[in-house]
Each structure stands twice: as structure tokens, then as C-alpha cells.
């Protein structure tokens, strides 16, 4: 399966000649008030053609240069444009002409609505980002929403994303994952591919590919099991559980393979708009304002050497090593854990 098949499938969905058969391409989590407000300023035609599987709204995005991979009709791009503000910018990349036409057709409407123009859309294959006129190490944030599963060479997407990020930049994205590897016989099924199932990465393979690309400590933010409402599709994938999950990957060369304890701590100032009470770094790190919060060396760097630094106080250094951080383990999606088994977390 390749990007041509994806274009065909989603083109049919947009034209009304096909329907989606799972909730993979739906966002079910309730957005925060500021995100709901921003979504209200996105054109209804753009929202009506949205097929993401997660909420792509990374914190502290003001002033950031953002790349949206598989930007589709532009909902995430126009949402992020408001979070980035007039000082920031968003570049959307998509390969489906029908979606790009919708996104580009509303550029003027959104510029008037926002009071500034900071969005552009490029036609391109996210497997070939190096063929586009994108400067290496020029983006603060890269996002994607349920598109990496649609491409064949996922490793190249991760490598190219890493190369496009500034030092300390972040790849923040939602996608579909499987609890085991999808059988080879299902990979060429056009419906399963279009429904984001046949291309879903086994979460262990994702972890390996991300680390090989330079993202040394992938962090799970949220996850949920997918519902498959079509009996024929459910029968084809019987025995495999699928999940929508949001991860964040930091472009930090100093991260270690495991969470090491150096006796460090952070204290959140509560200064990120929309997250004044607490910042969720990942599923294991909900850092409340004003509270001394012990962290491993990797988490310390994810805050101290990124856009989050101004929002925290930092305590300790790397002068004394105390071994592995207590409770550190594989950051496996919670809902993917076998029944009755606890899931250990990173820190």
C-alpha cells in the first residue's frame, strides 16, 4: 500500500461514495476551553472534512514554527495557527488534492478571521519530505494526526522529522497502533489501509523506529482503544486490538536510553496559557503548579532544554548518579496491557 491508495480512499470518502468503518479517524477526547474557542474560528467546511484520531494541540506553541504532516483539509493547521499567533507560522503538507483544495480555499477567510496570515499548504508525500523546499533544523514543532500509519516507509518519516527539527524541538503526533504486528496478508487490503488499520505499527516496532531515528525516549501522552463497527472489517482483524495514541518525541541528543536518577526536581510556574494548574508532560508526569516534582535526567532535559524551560524552576544537576529512576520501565500504552497486568511507567 502507498500514498496513491490513500488519496483514492479519502477522495472517495470526501465525495460521498465511501464511508469510514471505524472510529480511528475520529477525535473523541473533549478539548479544553481554549481549544474549543479556537476551533470555533475554523471554517465549518474545513471541520466537516477532518479525519484525525487525536487532539493535536501541543502546549506553549506561541511563536513557534510548526510543520503539520498530512494536514488534510487544514483543521489542525488552522487551530495551530491560532496557538502560534502572529509571531509563529504553520506549514501544512498533504498529498490528497481534494483535501488541499479545501484547505487552500479558506486561507483568506482564516486570515481575516485571525487578523493575520501565518499558514501555507504544500502538496507533497510525507515519505519524501526531503524532496520539498524545507530547511533542515528549522521547525520548533512537527505534528501529524493519523497519517504515519498510511505510509510504507515509516522509518524515513521519523528520520526526516528529526532532521527538520531544531535542537530541542518536538514531534507531537497521534496515530493508530496495534498490540501485535498486523499479518502480511492484510497489508494490501485497501479498506483496512484506508481505515488506518493495516498500516498500524506494533507499539514495540514504533518504539524501536523512533529511537533509531534519534528520538531516544518516546513518551506516551494519551491512548484509547479503537471501535470497529463494520462486521466485515472486524472479522478480518479478529484477534488484534488497535489503539489511538498520542506520543511526543523530543529532538534532544543528550537523552539516555533509560530513565536515570540524578536527584533532580522541577517546579512548574503555572505560566502556560490553558495549563495554569498543571502541565501534562506525558501519561506519567502531570506536574502541578508550585509542587516540587522529582524527575529523571531525561524528563529534566525535556523541560530544561526545550520551549518549556521558561515555565519551570530547576533543581539539581548531573553531577551525581543514583542509578535507574524508581519505577522506570517500558512506556507501553495503558490500554494495550494484557488484562490483569500492571503497566510500568517511565519515572
Amino acid at each position: 500500500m502507498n500514498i496513491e491508495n490513500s488519496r483514492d480512499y479519502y477522495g472517495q470518502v470526501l465525495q460521498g461514495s465511501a464511508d469510514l468503518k471505524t472510529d480511528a479517524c475520529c477525535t473523541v477526547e473533549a478539548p479544553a476551553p481554549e481549544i474549543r474557542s479556537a476551533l470555533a474560528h475554523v471554517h465549518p467546511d474545513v471541520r466537516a472534512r477532518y479525519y484525525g484520531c487525536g487532539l493535536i494541540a501541543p502546549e506553549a506553541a506561541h511563536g513557534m514554527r510548526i510543520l503539520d504532516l498530512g494536514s488534510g483539509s487544514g483543521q489542525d493547521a488552522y487551530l495551530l495557527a491560532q496557538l502560534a499567533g502572529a509571531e509563529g507560522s504553520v506549514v501544512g503538507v498533504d498529498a490528497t488534492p481534494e483535501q488541499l483544495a479545501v484547505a487552500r480555499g479558506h486561507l483568506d477567510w482564516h486570515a481575516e478571521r485571525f487578523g493575520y496570515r501565518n499558514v501555507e499548504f504544500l502538496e507533497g508525500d510525507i515519505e519524501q519530505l526531503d524532496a520539498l523546499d524545507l530547511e533542515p533544523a528549522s521547525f520548533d514543532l512537527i505534528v501529524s494526526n493519523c497519517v504515519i500509519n498510511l505510509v510504507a516507509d515509516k522509518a524515513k518519516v521519523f528520520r526526516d522529522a528529526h532532521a527538520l527539527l531544531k535542537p530541542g524541538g518536538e514531534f507531537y503526533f497521534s496515530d493508530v497502533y496495534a498490540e501485535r504486528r498486523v499479518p502480511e496478508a492484510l497489508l494490501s487490503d485497501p479498506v483496512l489501509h484506508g481505515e488506518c488499520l493495516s498500516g498500524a505499527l506494533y507499539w514495540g516496532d514504533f518504539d524501536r523506529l523512533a529511537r533509531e531515528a534519534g528520538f531516544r525516549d518516546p513518551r506516551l501522552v494519551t491512548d484509547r482503544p479503537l471501535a470497529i463497527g463494520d462486521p466485515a472489517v472486524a472479522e478480518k482483524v479478529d484477534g488484534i486490538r488497535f489503539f489511538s495514541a498520542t506520543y511526543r518525541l523530543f529532538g534532544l541528543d543528550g537523552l539516555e536510553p533509560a530513565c536515570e536518577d540524578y536527584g533532580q526536581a522541577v517546579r512548574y510556574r503555572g505560566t502556560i496559557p490553558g495549563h495554569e494548574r498543571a502541565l501534562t508532560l506525558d501519561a506519567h508526569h502531570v506536574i502541578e503548579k508550585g509542587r516540587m516534582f522529582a524527575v529523571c535526567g531525561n524528563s529534566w532535559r525535556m523541560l530544561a532544554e526545550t520551549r518549556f524551560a521558561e515555565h519551570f524552576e530547576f533543581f539539581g544537576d548531573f553531577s551525581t548518579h543514583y542509578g535507574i529512576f524508581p519505577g522506570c520501565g517500558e512506556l507501553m500504552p495503558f490500554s494495550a496491557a494484557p488484562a490483569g497486568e500492571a503497566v510500568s511507567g517511565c519515572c
Side-chain angles (χ1 to χ4, degrees), residues 56-68:
I56 303 301
E59 312 87 350
H62 185 79
M64 299 292 103
R65 185 166 190 250
I66 304 170
L67 176 64
D68 182 5

Side-chain angles (χ1 to χ4, degrees), residues 200-222:
L201 273 171
Y202 164 53
W203 75 270
D205 288 337
F206 156 71
D207 186 81
R208 173 179 54 81
L209 292 176
R211 290 175 187 271
E212 289 174 352
F215 297 111
R216 298 178 182 174
D217 189 355
R219 294 294 178 92
L220 174 70
V221 182
T222 62

Side-chain angles (χ1 to χ4, degrees), residues 67 93-94 122-126 128-135:
L67 176 64
V93 175
D94 202 86
L122 305 177
E123 182 171 356
D125 184 345
I126 67 168
Q128 299 175 22
L129 290 173
D130 49 356
L132 300 177
D133 187 21
L134 299 173
E135 184 181 351

Side-chain angles (χ1 to χ4, degrees), residues 154-163 171 173 177 201-220 247-260 282 296 298 302 324 328-333 344-347:
K154 297 171 175 60
K156 187 174 187 301
V157 176
F158 290 128
R159 290 197 302 271
D160 287 351
H162 189 274
F171 189 9
F173 65 103
Y177 300 86
L201 273 171
Y202 164 53
W203 75 270
D205 288 337
F206 156 71
D207 186 81
R208 173 179 54 81
L209 292 176
R211 290 175 187 271
E212 289 174 352
F215 297 111
R216 298 178 182 174
D217 189 355
R219 294 294 178 92
L220 174 70
Y247 277 93
R248 63 193 333 154
L249 311 178
F250 287 96
L252 291 167
D253 290 340
L255 297 182
E256 299 183 88
C259 296
E260 305 293 344
D282 57 51
C296 70
N298 281 357
M302 289 174 184
I324 200 74
C328 183
E330 293 297 331
L331 196 53
M332 177 182 180
S344 60
C346 235
C347 313

